């Protein structure tokens, strides 16, 4: 199949080379992100392969449809950036990579939780400045805490299994509770998880229904000093409300690998730019907030799988007219 792969990073190149041969694809690599501004690069191709930070909106999808593109394969698990309705209307078949490596994100959630528990952000800065004092660095142990998981799918389960080793109490909320998870944690209502958890870790996808799931109202229901971990999607959290919660002490700390206005900022070098997003600047500056640039997924294992499985999806479409990871 003739494929144009957008937004390809250097670290993906060897996998594209290897798996385009394996699946007998002819892949053109472009660095540009997919959007209406770059959709014309798909002229003459059967498929486009994109990433989670590309803009596959109606306009872009209609453009590639007119160019004859039949398939859109995202290398990511999340697909909230793709207008599936528009794709369905124009007859473009869409696939994602739902399980490239849940461990990458699950382990990351554990890592940032431990960083917050032991004040690593401040501790690292101090040693850089030859300040070896202890004041203010006192932490807490996870065994005494209740961890609440919102979303107990593939990533949530990896995090849950990893956290289970710390001996903490674990509770969770999911629209569809899962029997395999019930042996590790007690399922509760969302209101109960918010009220009882010392640490809340988000592992649900972004949907129309849960935009700003964490907002002023839900923060008010949390325990005083609760910690929020978001490795899922930025728009699950109302950043303004999070900042207010952090300023008042209602929220005791946060680790955000994703941010609601991250597009155009995360995954780019802005060291010589003036960042104008005041909320991001505030969050970045707080001692008890860890901001990372949407890289929980970023392991060798996951990147290899993202490339391979997206090309495999297109191979399946070509050979069988369908695909196990078909979204529409
Ligand atoms: P999954 O589909 O296996 O699990 C999601 C779970 O959330 C399901 O059990 C579902 O029933 C539940 N859910 C859906 N809406 C919910 C709601 N409103 N409240 C509570 N539970 C709800 O997805 P997976 O693989 O576990 O990934 C979870 C999310 O992690 C992805 O949607 C994506 O947003 C994020 N992610 C982030 C990455 C990063 O680099 N930071 C990388 C990969 C995924």
């Amino acid at each position: 199949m003739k494929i144009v792969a957008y937004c390809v990073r250097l670290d993906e190149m060897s996998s594209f080379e290897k798996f385009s041969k394996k699946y007998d694809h002819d892949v053109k690599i472009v660095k540009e992100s997919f959007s209406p501004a770059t959709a014309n690069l798909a002229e003459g191709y059967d498929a486009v392969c994109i990433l989670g930070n590309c803009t596959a909106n109606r306009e872009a999808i209609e453009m590639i449809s007119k160019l004859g593109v039949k398939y859109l394969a995202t290398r990511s698990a999340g697909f909230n950036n793709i207008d599936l309705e528009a794709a369905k209307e124009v007859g473009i078949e869409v696939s994602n990579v739902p399980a490239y490596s849940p461990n990458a994100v699950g382990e990351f959630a554990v890592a940032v939780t431990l960083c917050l528990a032991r004040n690593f952000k401040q501790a690292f800065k101090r040693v850089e400045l030859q300040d070896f004092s202890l004041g203010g660095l006192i932490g807490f142990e996870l065994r005494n805490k209740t961890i609440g998981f919102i979303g107990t799918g593939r990533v949530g389960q990896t995090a849950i299994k990893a956290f289970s080793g710390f001996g903490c109490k674990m509770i969770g909320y999911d629209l569809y509770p899962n029997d395999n998870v019930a042996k590790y944690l007690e399922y509760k209502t969302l209101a109960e998880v918010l009220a009882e958890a010392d640490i809340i870790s988000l592992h649900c996808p972004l949907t129309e229904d849960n935009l700003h799931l964490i907002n002023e109202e839900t923060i008010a229901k949390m325990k005083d000093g609760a910690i929020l971990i978001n490795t899922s999607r930025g728009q699950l959290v109302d950043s303004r409300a999070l900042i207010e919660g952090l300023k008042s002490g209602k929220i005791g700390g946060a680790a955000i690998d994703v941010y609601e206005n991250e597009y155009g900022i995360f995954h780019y070098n802005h060291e010589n730019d003036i960042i104008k997003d005041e909320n991001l600047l505030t969050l970045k500056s707080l001692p008890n907030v860890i901001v990372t640039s949407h890289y929980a997924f970023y392991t060798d294992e996951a990147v290899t799988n993202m490339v391979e499985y997206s090309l495999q999806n297109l191979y399946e479409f070509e050979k069988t007219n369908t695909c196990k990871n078909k979204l529409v």
Side-chain angles (χ1 to χ4, degrees):
M1 187 181 288
K2 284 190 78 183
I3 303 164
V4 53
Y6 283 87
C7 215
V8 176
R9 300 179 310 265
L10 268 182
D11 53 85
E12 295 179 298
M13 294 293 277
S14 58
S15 296
F16 266 108
E17 210 170 299
K18 179 172 172 189
F19 297 112
S20 56
K21 279 192 196 122
K22 178 171 175 184
Y23 296 106
D24 200 20
H25 292 314
D26 174 5
V27 182
K28 176 180 153 184
I29 301 287
V30 298
K31 280 196 210 134
E32 287 86 349
S33 183
F34 178 71
S35 72
T38 57
N40 60 322
L41 297 174
E43 184 162 12
Y45 289 85
D46 307 305
V48 300
C49 180
I50 66 167
L51 270 177
N53 57 359
C54 292
T55 309
N57 58 12
R58 176 172 288 277
E59 188 185 352
I61 285 173
E62 285 177 352
M63 283 174 73
I64 56 170
S65 168
K66 285 191 188 125
L67 295 173
V69 170
K70 299 272 176 300
Y71 308 102
L72 190 154
T74 181
R75 312 199 280 287
S76 60
F79 49 86
N80 52 284
N81 56 321
I82 305 174
D83 189 331
L84 293 180
E85 208 46 54
K88 205 173 170 181
E89 275 172 38
V90 298
I92 289 188
E93 296 187 276
V94 183
S95 62
N96 72 334
V97 182
Y100 50 79
S101 179
N103 300 59
V105 187
E107 288 175 15
F108 193 93
V110 177
V112 286
T113 303
L114 289 171
C115 285
L116 287 171
R118 306 305 294 269
N119 293 306
F120 276 179
K121 179 172 172 176
Q122 296 307 89
F124 287 156
K125 277 190 190 163
R126 278 192 200 182
V127 172
E128 286 294 309
L129 299 169
Q130 316 271 36
D131 173 359
F132 300 102
S133 66
L134 292 183
L137 292 184
I138 195 159
F140 62 82
E141 297 172 22
L142 293 185
R143 67 189 163 101
N144 294 319
K145 301 296 174 193
T146 298
I147 310 204
F149 298 88
I150 300 183
T152 60
R154 284 169 284 242
V155 171
Q157 284 174 44
T158 318
I160 289 161
K161 283 177 196 155
F163 273 114
S164 71
F166 292 100
C168 35
K169 183 175 174 197
M170 299 200 293
I171 57 178
Y173 166 71
D174 196 299
L175 298 177
Y176 305 97
N178 176 323
D179 287 346
N180 291 330
V181 178
K183 61 180 177 241
Y184 291 98
L185 57 67
E186 191 182 345
Y187 274 111
K188 302 233 174 194
T189 63
L190 177 61
E192 286 169 335
V193 170
L194 292 171
E196 294 172 27
D198 299 294
I199 299 164
I200 293 173
S201 195
L202 304 181
H203 297 291
C204 56
L206 174 68
T207 63
E208 275 175 14
D209 300 331
N210 64 14
L211 176 80
H212 287 178
L213 175 76
I214 303 299
N215 55 39
E216 195 183 340
E217 209 177 298
T218 46
I219 288 174
K221 290 180 181 157
M222 290 181 193
K223 260 182 152 172
D224 290 344
I227 283 175
L228 180 72
I229 311 292
N230 187 8
T231 56
S232 216
R233 280 295 177 265
Q235 288 145 292
L236 291 170
V237 178
D238 177 347
S239 314
R240 199 60 249 156
L242 173 64
I243 290 168
E244 290 312 316
L246 285 157
K247 280 187 179 166
S248 71
K250 177 72 186 172
I251 305 255
I256 55 167
D257 184 50
V258 285
Y259 170 64
E260 60 178 327
N261 298 316
E262 69 182 50
Y263 183 75
I265 300 178
F266 285 11
H267 296 184
Y268 299 97
N269 182 350
H270 286 287
E271 67 181 334
N272 295 320
D273 302 336
I274 310 267
I275 300 268
K276 297 185 186 75
D277 187 322
E278 305 256 342
N279 288 346
L280 180 59
L281 293 175
T282 303
L283 287 166
K284 211 164 65 68
S285 72
L286 298 176
N288 54 348
V289 176
I290 296 172
V291 179
T292 48
S293 52
H294 199 149
Y295 87 115
F297 73 97
Y298 199 41
T299 62
D300 265 344
E301 295 86 344
V303 168
T304 305
N305 291 345
M306 290 165 89
V307 174
E308 168 159 21
Y309 299 163
S310 63
L311 296 183
Q312 190 181 47
N313 286 339
L314 293 171
Y315 178 83
E316 282 181 25
F317 275 131
E318 189 177 29
K319 299 291 172 202
T320 66
N321 284 325
T322 188
C323 156
K324 63 179 172 303
N325 296 321
K326 178 176 155 117
L327 295 168
V328 292

